[in-house]
């Protein structure tokens, strides 16, 4: 399944390389003011749990995860909004490092719903006995690199202090909720929620008048479900969005059997393509086929549902002319589905190339506008002026509502990292170092922050990928690097300003091969958060290309990094 140095042989085998294993475990258990530990990991989602398991069980090191939530799951612990599901197909939205885990877990639906993903992650925590090394309800307050000891001093909001050789952030790319700074929110007499911080007890929309602000992937998933419960829903759209039908369905026994029997092949496909999905982008131009054939291909993929539509032609994301063909097809579909022409016009009036902003996958989103209890407001024409005691006031009208749902996204990729008080060499704060935009080498390390690793940090494929294979690739690389250091008795790994500059050029160069940077109001560029520097953040060269770069760096003796004993 995986061929990395540190993969399990068997299902759950301790890989002992740490000569001081017993000693280091004992030190960790000693109650002292500052607990000595090999590694502190922040975040107990997909990344943090696999990183813990890799360091603890493959390398035999002492490691602890600090998690602010009261449960494991990361994104899937917090994002409990109505309709929350994954846009990746379930058989690809899972770990592949353990054959036993792949074989024993059964997904029920093509796209797993949030509760099912959370059950899966809890199953992983139990199966691999991760819980004793995860500190829930614990927020990391600061992490400071001590140059005299080459260790990180990490402090939590409970007053614990850890001295760790390695400090690994696994905080997720979309975990810092972006509640827009619209004037008047505290005046609102009803209830308001951000989708990324949804109440665990749920929200009862029955009989309520609801405002939904935002029509990204989240809003597009939530709106149909809220509309089916609420008395009335007013959707406030700033930017019209493309969306692909998901075509949800229960998985058949045959498919489940197929996915298990072909797990190695599926994993091979996921890790050797651009987006980490279980299918390849077709190696043909949109202009290699006739108009009729193209229409038929799009029609079939539209019926099939999901991101395969985006993968139908290799130039959809690199050629504006090719992209126009895909965009026109979707706009035609919107007009076919939405019965009121003025609403269809608003939904189809899309100002950016298809998939240059992350395209949502929906369950009857456009159909929802045919309901009598749903209205669509064009914020481009009548912007929101303020929130009032009664609801949402645009430039022409006050909309009275009982509940406001902010589906307004996240301070993506950097938000959670700069919010933490992280201090590297020479007391340099991460938030200051990144004040003009993130600077990393490979999205794995930040110059001036030795022994700190960022799982799926800015500068890595991360959000442009199906996340689990991107996470596994990163965690495996970090684990192999740490294994190398422990075997060679190396104390410090750090990257340089030159490596950071070089990588920023690479990130920009591969982004410029695509249409992605042409969208100036995209969260990929940080444009959704007022005042955030606008820098294209993820690595757009694709997972396969990125993996090769990382492997080449390793093969060349960790080129671009420096070690010290
Ligand atoms: O956030 P978004 P999201 N006034 O930033 C609007 C992942 N995800 O939570 O486009 C009015 O995409 C904003 O308008 P505009 C996925 O990667 C995955 O929906 O900036 N409107 C936009 O319409 C996704 O891309 C799954 O003009 C305001 C919306 O709010 C990412 O999360 C499911 C506003 C925000 O859209 C983020 O998606 C869901 C304001 N002041 C999400 N501020 C999976 O299935 C913002 N908006 C895995």
């Amino acid at each position: 399944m995986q061929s990395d140095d540190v993969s399990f042989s068997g299902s759950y085998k301790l890989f002992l390389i740490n000569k001081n294993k017993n000693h280091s475990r004992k030190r960790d258990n000693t109650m002292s003011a500052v607990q000595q530990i090999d590694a502190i990991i922040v975040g107990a989602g997909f990344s943090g749990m696999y990183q813990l398991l890799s360091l603890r069980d493959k390398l035999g090191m002492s490691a602890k995860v600090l998690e602010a939530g009261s449960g494991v799951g990361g994104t899937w612990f917090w994002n409990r909004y109505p309709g929350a599901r994954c846009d990746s197909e379930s058989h690809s939205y899972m770990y592949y490092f353990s054959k036993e885990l792949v074989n024993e877990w059964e997904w029920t639906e093509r796209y797993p719903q949030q509760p099912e993903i959370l059950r899966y992650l809890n199953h992983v925590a139990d199966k691999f006995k991760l819980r004793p090394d995860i500190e829930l309800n614990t927020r990391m307050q600061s992490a400071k690199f001590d140059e005299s000891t080459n260790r990180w001093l990490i402090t939590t909001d409970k007053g614990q202090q850890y001295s760790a050789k390695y400090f690994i952030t696994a905080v997720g790319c979309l975990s810092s909720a972006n509640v827009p700074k619209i004037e008047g929110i505290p005046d609102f007499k009803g209830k308001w929620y951000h989708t990324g911080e949804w109440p665990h007890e749920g929200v009862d929309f029955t009989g309520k008048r609801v405002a939904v602000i935002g029509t990204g992937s989240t809003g597009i998933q939530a709106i149909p479900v809220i509309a089916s419960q609420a008395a009335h829903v007013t959707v406030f759209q700033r930017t019209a969005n493309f969306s692909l039908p998901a075509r949800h369905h229960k998985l058949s026994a045959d498919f489940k059997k197929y996915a298990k029997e072909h797990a190695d092949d599926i994993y091979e496909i996921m890790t050797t393509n651009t987006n980490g999905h279980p299918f390849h982008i077709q190696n043909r131009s949109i202009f290699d086929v006739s108009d009729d054939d193209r229409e038929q291909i799009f029609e079939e993929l539209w019926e099939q549902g999901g991101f395969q539509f985006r993968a139908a032609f290799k130039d959809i994301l690199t050629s504006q002319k090719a992209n126009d063909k895909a965009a026109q097809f979707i706009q035609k579909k919107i007009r076919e589905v939405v019965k009121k022409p003025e609403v269809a016009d608003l939904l189809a009036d899309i100002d950016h190339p298809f998939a240059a902003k992350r395209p949502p996958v929906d369950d009857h989103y456009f159909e929802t506008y045919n309901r009598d209890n749903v209205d669509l407001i064009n914020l481009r024409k009548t912007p929101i002026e303020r929130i009032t005691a009664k609801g949402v006031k645009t430039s022409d009208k006050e909309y009275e509502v009982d509940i406001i749902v902010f589906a307004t996204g996240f301070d993506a990729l950097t938000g959670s990292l700069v919010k933490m008080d992280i201090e590297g060499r020479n007391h340099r704060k991460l938030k200051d170092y990144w004040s003009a935009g993130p600077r990393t080498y490979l999205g794995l390390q930040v110059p001036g922050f030795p022994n700190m690793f960022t799982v799926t940090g800015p500068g890595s494929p991360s959000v442009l990928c199906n996340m689990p294979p991107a996470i596994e690739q990163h965690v495996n690389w970090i684990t192999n690097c740490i294994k190398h250091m422990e075997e060679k008795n190396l104390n410090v790994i750090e990257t340089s300003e030159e490596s950071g500059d070089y990588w920023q050029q690479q990130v920009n160069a591969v982004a410029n091969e695509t249409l992605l940077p042409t969208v100036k109001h995209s969260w990929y560029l940080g444009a959704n958060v007022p005042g955030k520097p606008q820098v294209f953040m993820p690595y757009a060269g694709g997972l396969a290309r990125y993996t090769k770069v990382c492997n080449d760096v390793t093969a060349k003796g960790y080129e671009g990094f420096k070690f010290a004993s």
Side-chain angles (χ1 to χ4, degrees):
M1 205 155 286
Q2 288 189 4
S3 59
D4 296 86
D5 292 347
V6 290
S7 64
F8 288 138
S9 55
S11 63
Y12 188 58
K13 186 175 166 193
L14 219 57
F15 182 54
L16 294 174
I17 63 139
N18 187 339
K19 290 171 244 126
N20 299 321
K21 179 192 169 252
N22 294 328
H23 174 58
S24 116
R25 283 268 165 97
K26 206 156 96 208
R27 273 185 300 162
D28 182 26
N29 292 336
T30 309
M31 282 310 292
S32 62
V34 180
Q35 297 180 57
Q36 302 292 316
I37 196 162
D38 293 326
I40 285 288
I41 300 157
V42 185
F46 263 99
S47 337
M49 291 209 293
Y50 182 44
Q51 187 64 74
L52 168 64
L53 183 152
S54 300
L55 294 182
R56 192 193 66 181
D57 300 341
K58 295 176 183 177
L59 301 191
M61 301 176 82
S62 61
K64 200 168 267 303
V65 175
L66 307 177
E67 167 56 57
S70 59
V72 302
T75 290
W76 300 104
F77 177 83
W78 299 106
N79 283 267
R80 296 164 184 251
Y81 60 84
R85 321 183 169 240
C86 184
D87 290 346
S88 299
E89 296 184 52
S90 53
H91 66 292
S92 66
Y93 201 77
M94 59 192 288
Y95 295 115
Y96 268 79
F97 66 81
S98 157
K99 203 155 205 158
E100 195 176 291
L101 179 62
V102 171
N103 281 332
E104 76 190 10
W105 184 259
E106 287 251 303
W107 295 107
T108 61
E109 293 181 86
R110 179 180 184 188
Y111 297 94
Q113 300 198 43
Q114 176 269 338
E116 191 170 26
I117 304 173
L118 197 55
R119 272 200 301 282
Y120 172 72
L121 290 169
N122 274 284
H123 170 75
V124 171
D126 291 333
K127 177 179 175 64
F128 295 101
K129 300 184 173 48
L130 299 178
R131 294 190 197 276
D133 293 306
I134 300 176
E135 290 271 339
L136 298 174
N137 301 304
T138 305
R139 192 173 284 280
M140 192 204 86
Q141 240 167 15
S142 66
K144 303 197 175 191
F145 186 69
D146 180 344
E147 298 192 53
S148 65
T149 59
N150 287 326
R151 292 178 74 85
W152 283 90
L153 181 66
I154 287 145
T155 308
T156 75
D157 61 354
K158 288 181 173 165
Q160 299 140 309
Q161 287 198 309
Y162 295 94
S163 167
K165 178 169 176 182
Y166 302 103
F167 167 49
I168 302 170
T169 66
V171 291
C173 304
L174 298 159
S175 44
S176 180
N178 177 34
V179 179
K181 292 189 174 46
I182 303 174
E183 208 184 317
I185 295 177
D187 301 340
F188 183 55
K189 297 280 184 243
K191 301 256 188 230
W192 68 265
Y193 308 95
H194 185 280
T195 47
E197 293 171 345
W198 202 254
H200 286 201
E201 64 279 14
V203 176
D204 185 4
F205 291 101
T206 316
K208 304 289 188 202
R209 298 162 303 168
V210 183
V212 180
I213 301 177
T215 53
S217 297
T218 301
I220 281 177
Q221 283 185 337
I223 288 161
V225 183
I226 297 174
S228 70
Q229 297 167 12
H232 192 271
V233 176
T234 310
V235 177
F236 293 86
Q237 171 187 281
R238 191 163 67 182
T239 306
N241 214 340
F242 294 102
S243 183
L244 301 167
R247 314 283 182 218
H248 296 310
H249 56 71
K250 296 272 179 221
L251 292 177
S252 66
D254 280 353
F255 182 83
K256 290 181 195 173
K257 186 163 173 277
Y258 164 86
K260 288 192 197 308
E261 285 175 2
H262 294 83
D264 287 345
D265 305 330
I266 292 167
Y267 182 75
E268 171 72 13
I269 294 171
M270 282 160 54
T271 51
T272 53
N273 69 31
T274 305
N275 301 108
H277 286 295
F279 47 83
H280 283 293
I281 295 175
Q282 299 288 319
N283 189 24
R284 63 184 170 201
S285 160
I286 219 158
F287 302 106
D288 286 345
V289 298
S290 69
D291 288 354
D292 286 350
D293 286 351
R294 184 185 313 121
E295 192 71 6
Q296 194 180 334
I297 290 166
F298 277 151
E299 226 18 280
E300 281 167 12
L301 291 168
W302 188 260
E303 282 316 307
Q304 191 181 322
F307 286 134
Q308 281 91 337
F309 184 94
R310 185 181 58 177
F313 299 98
K314 66 178 178 187
D315 43 0
I316 286 185
L317 212 51
T318 53
S319 148
Q320 184 62 59
K321 272 189 166 166
N323 194 282
D324 288 344
K325 298 285 181 195
Q328 283 154 13
F329 180 89
I330 301 174
Q331 285 161 317
K332 182 190 77 177
K333 285 289 177 192
I334 296 171
R335 291 179 196 285
E336 277 171 20
V337 169
V338 181
K339 295 197 178 109
K340 293 176 213 148
E342 67 285 5
V343 179
D345 282 349
L346 255 183
L347 291 165
D349 183 16
I350 304 174
D351 66 356
H352 52 274
F354 164 62
K357 282 178 99 170
R358 158 70 153 73
V361 172
D362 74 87
D363 189 18
H364 296 95
Y365 172 66
F366 294 115
E367 289 84 344
T368 299
Y369 291 95
N370 294 333
R371 296 177 65 105
D372 293 334
N373 68 334
V374 177
D375 287 327
L376 181 64
I377 306 305
N378 179 5
L379 295 182
R380 290 277 168 96
K381 195 163 154 219
T382 55
I384 294 174
E385 284 185 343
R386 58 172 296 130
I387 304 296
T388 65
K390 292 181 182 166
V392 181
K393 165 90 179 67
T394 64
S395 58
D396 73 335
K397 193 174 160 186
E398 183 177 21
Y399 295 85
E400 294 189 12
V401 294
D402 306 303
I403 297 174
I404 302 175
V405 174
F406 289 102
T408 45
F410 302 91
D411 184 349
L413 286 146
T414 56
S416 299
L417 291 167
V418 297
K419 264 188 199 161
M420 299 191 290
D421 182 11
I422 301 177
E423 192 179 286
R425 272 200 199 287
N426 303 317
H427 304 291
R428 181 158 70 181
K429 303 270 187 198
L430 185 67
K431 75 171 171 15
D432 296 334
Y433 184 55
W434 280 3
S435 59
R439 175 64 47 108
T440 72
Y441 181 48
L442 304 173
L444 280 162
Q445 265 218 331
V446 183
F449 294 78
N451 291 8
M452 172 178 135
F453 296 98
T454 48
V455 184
T456 64
S460 74
S462 60
V463 292
L464 298 176
C465 267
N466 176 30
M467 289 302 293
I471 287 168
E472 284 191 338
Q473 185 268 338
H474 250 199
V475 170
N476 289 340
W477 192 94
I478 292 166
T479 307
N480 278 326
C481 175
I482 290 177
K483 175 173 176 258
H484 170 81
M485 288 178 67
E486 295 301 302
E487 283 173 343
K488 304 267 184 237
N489 280 322
L490 298 168
N491 273 330
V492 179
I493 178 169
E494 67 184 304
T495 191
S496 61
E497 296 291 342
E498 295 72 36
S499 299
D501 289 346
Y502 163 77
W503 192 244
Q504 190 58 46
Q505 285 162 14
Q506 293 301 304
V507 169
N508 290 336
V510 293
N512 288 331
E513 291 170 12
T514 73
L515 299 171
L516 293 168
T518 65
V519 188
K520 297 302 172 209
H521 51 74
S522 145
W523 61 257
Y524 294 151
L525 275 150
N528 62 328
V529 177
K532 187 167 174 170
Q534 298 202 11
V535 174
F536 194 85
M537 294 183 286
Y539 176 82
L543 183 61
R545 188 165 161 192
Y546 173 80
T547 303
K548 183 174 179 331
V549 172
C550 292
N551 292 346
D552 288 350
V553 162
T554 309
K556 289 180 189 160
Y558 291 92
E559 188 179 44
F561 293 98
K562 249 182 4 207
F563 292 104
S565 318

